[in-house]
C-alpha cells in the first residue's frame, strides 16, 4: 500500500487579510486542576473544562512561568475561516508555543512571556499589524 504525504494548507494574510492585533498588558498564568470542576477563587480570566480536568487562565505576577497575549482588534466574524490559523501557523513554524482562548469577537493568543518580542516579529513578518 502506498503512503501519501498530505501537506497542510498554509494560512497567511493572502487568505485572511492582515489582522490588527494588540498586546494585552496583563501577564497570564495557566493552571491545570485535574480534580476540579470550578476554581476555589474568583481570580480567573477564562475556564475550559475537559475530561482531564479544568484549565484556568488567570492574571499572574511577574515571576514564574508567565504568558503574554495578542488580541485581535478587527478579527472579523466567526464565519471567517483561517483567521486563527493565520496567527498560530507562523508561530508554530517558528516553534513558539501558544495557548488560545477564543471569544465571540476575537481570539486571545498567548505565548510564553520571554518569547513575546520574537512572536511579535514573527507575526509582523507574516503581515499582521501589532499596535504599540
Amino acid at each position: 500500500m502506498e503512503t501519501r504525504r498530505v501537506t497542510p494548507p498554509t494560512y497567511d494574510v493572502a487568505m485572511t487579510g492582515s489582522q490588527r492585533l494588540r498586546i494585552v498588558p496583563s501577564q497570564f498564568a495557566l493552571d491545570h486542576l485535574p480534580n476540579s470542576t470550578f476554581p476555589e477563587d474568583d481570580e480567573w480570566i477564562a475556564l475550559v473544562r475537559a475530561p482531564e480536568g479544568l484549565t484556568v487562565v488567570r492574571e499572574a505576577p511577574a515571576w514564574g512561568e508567565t504568558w503574554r497575549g495578542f488580541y485581535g482588534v478587527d478579527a472579523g466574524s466567526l464565519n471567517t475561516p483561517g483567521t486563527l490559523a493565520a496567527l498560530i501557523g507562523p508561530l508554530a513554524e517558528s516553534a513558539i508555543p501558544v495557548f488560545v482562548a477564543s471569544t465571540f469577537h476575537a481570539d486571545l493568543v498567548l505565548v510564553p512571556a520571554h518569547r513575546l518580542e520574537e512572536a511579535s516579529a514573527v507575526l509582523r513578518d507574516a503581515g499582521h499589524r501589532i499596535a504599540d
Side-chain angles (χ1 to χ4, degrees), residues 55-100:
T55 299
V56 181
V57 180
R58 61 179 81 237
E59 284 198 43
W63 49 269
E65 182 181 5
T66 58
W67 295 70
R68 295 291 307 274
F70 297 94
Y71 190 75
V73 175
D74 55 359
S77 74
L78 293 174
N79 295 324
T80 306
T83 302
L84 179 57
L87 299 176
I88 63 173
L91 295 171
E93 290 173 9
S94 296
I96 298 173
V98 300
F99 182 89
V100 178

Side-chain angles (χ1 to χ4, degrees), residues 3-82:
T3 304
R4 289 192 322 158
R5 184 180 175 122
V6 177
T7 303
T10 300
Y11 295 97
D12 58 20
V13 295
M15 294 177 71
T16 62
S18 173
Q19 293 181 51
R20 193 164 49 109
L21 308 167
R22 69 177 174 90
I23 297 173
V24 179
S26 300
Q27 295 196 61
F28 300 94
L30 304 175
D31 295 325
H32 177 246
L33 307 176
N35 299 315
S36 294
T37 57
F38 203 79
E40 293 181 12
D41 61 26
D42 62 353
E43 300 295 319
W44 50 270
I45 305 291
L47 303 174
V48 179
R49 189 176 4 212
E52 302 81 23
L54 187 67
T55 299
V56 181
V57 180
R58 61 179 81 237
E59 284 198 43
W63 49 269
E65 182 181 5
T66 58
W67 295 70
R68 295 291 307 274
F70 297 94
Y71 190 75
V73 175
D74 55 359
S77 74
L78 293 174
N79 295 324
T80 306

